């Protein structure tokens, strides 16, 4: 049983790494579409790779090593942006990268977390990561569902457009369709 458990944890970690790379690539492309500097696009890529690093501190719950999570424990999963920020703040990352990670679950309409920020109070990097993170999650296979097609995922993103900065959303659409 221990070997199976280790394999499952490794597989989940691989998926988290793949997700981070996908978010990183999307964020870089969105930054380019928005005309951001090369340095800012690079910082977006770094933040994209690291945006969910706080989940590592919750992995005993997420991977099922501890008792399965109950609804009350989900609040701890919602702490992963803060945990990621705390893990990285003294490691030489820029304020842009740290703020992008900390606020990447804020929704433009104020319904996100951890601070319920609205609109332009949300740092630009976090606004970019938000839409890239959602799209990457939708287009990836999860343990509880298959991956959605790019077309279906885009329709789902459009249905939730209130969560996103419209300038970022339009740049995101251009980035997604640039290879077509």
């Amino acid at each position: 049983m221990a070997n199976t458990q280790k394999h499952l944890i490794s597989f989940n970690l691989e998926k988290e790494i793949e997700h981070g790379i996908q978010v990183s690539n999307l964020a870089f492309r969105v930054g380019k579409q928005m005309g951001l500097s090369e340095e800012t696009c690079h910082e977006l890529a770094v933040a994209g790779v690291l945006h969910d690093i706080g989940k590592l501190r919750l992995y005993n719950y997420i991977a099922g090593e501890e008792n399965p999570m109950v609804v009350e424990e989900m609040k701890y999963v919602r702490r992963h942006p803060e945990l990621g920020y705390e893990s990285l703040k003294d490691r030489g990352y820029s304020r842009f990268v740290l703020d992008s990670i900390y606020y990447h679950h804020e929704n433009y309409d104020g319904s996100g977390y951890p601070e319920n920020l609205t609109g332009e109070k949300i740092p630009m990097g976090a606004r970019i990561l938000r839409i890239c993170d959602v799209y990457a999650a939708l287009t990836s296979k999860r343990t509880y569902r298959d991956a959605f097609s790019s077309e279906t995922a885009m329709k789902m993103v459009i249905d939730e457009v209130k969560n996103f900065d419209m300038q970022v959303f339009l740049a995101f659409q251009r980035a997604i369709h640039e290879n077509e």
Side-chain angles (χ1 to χ4, degrees):
M1 184 71 164
N3 286 340
T4 303
Q5 196 65 276
K6 286 181 183 177
H7 177 71
L8 289 173
I9 293 166
S10 173
F11 179 75
N12 288 336
L13 287 174
E14 286 176 22
K15 289 293 184 189
E16 289 294 331
I17 291 167
E18 287 174 19
H19 174 72
I21 292 169
Q22 186 179 8
V23 172
S24 175
N25 289 333
L26 287 170
F28 183 88
R29 290 170 40 206
V30 171
K32 285 292 201 185
Q33 286 292 331
M34 293 180 72
L36 301 178
S37 72
E38 191 71 28
E39 180 181 341
T40 301
C41 291
H42 173 76
E43 296 256 296
L44 281 167
V46 170
V49 167
L50 297 172
H51 77 284
D52 279 343
I53 199 164
K55 287 182 179 178
L56 290 176
R57 291 181 53 191
L58 301 169
Y59 233 79
N60 287 340
Y61 286 109
I62 294 171
E65 284 189 351
E66 300 293 332
N67 293 328
M69 279 191 293
V70 294
V71 173
E72 295 82 31
E73 293 171 324
M74 287 301 291
K75 67 183 176 186
Y76 296 111
V77 173
R78 292 184 108 192
R79 290 195 57 224
H80 80 270
E82 176 188 351
L83 295 171
Y85 174 91
E86 290 297 322
S87 295
L88 297 173
K89 72 178 181 181
D90 296 323
R91 298 188 181 265
Y93 292 96
S94 70
R95 172 63 49 200
F96 181 91
V97 169
L98 294 172
D99 285 349
S100 297
I101 291 167
Y102 185 80
Y103 295 108
H104 80 272
H105 275 286
E106 296 288 358
N107 291 328
Y108 205 71
D109 68 352
S111 64
Y113 60 91
E115 306 288 336
N116 299 106
L117 298 181
T118 59
E120 294 187 12
K121 293 177 186 170
I122 304 166
M124 178 58 76
R127 286 184 263 159
I128 293 170
L129 287 185
R130 182 69 182 127
I131 194 165
C132 296
D133 185 30
V134 168
Y135 181 84
L138 290 171
T139 57
S140 297
K141 182 175 173 36
R142 300 296 177 147
T143 55
Y144 52 90
R145 65 157 174 79
D146 285 333
F148 292 104
S149 69
S150 181
E151 181 179 305
T152 300
M154 187 58 79
K155 286 178 184 175
M156 294 169 81
V157 167
I158 290 169
D159 286 345
E160 296 297 324
V161 76
K162 68 179 178 38
N163 293 333
F164 311 115
D165 176 328
M166 190 53 66
Q167 177 187 0
V168 173
F169 173 76
L170 293 173
F172 175 78
Q173 279 194 312
R174 289 191 304 272
I176 291 296
H177 298 297
E178 69 188 346
N179 294 331
E180 292 179 356

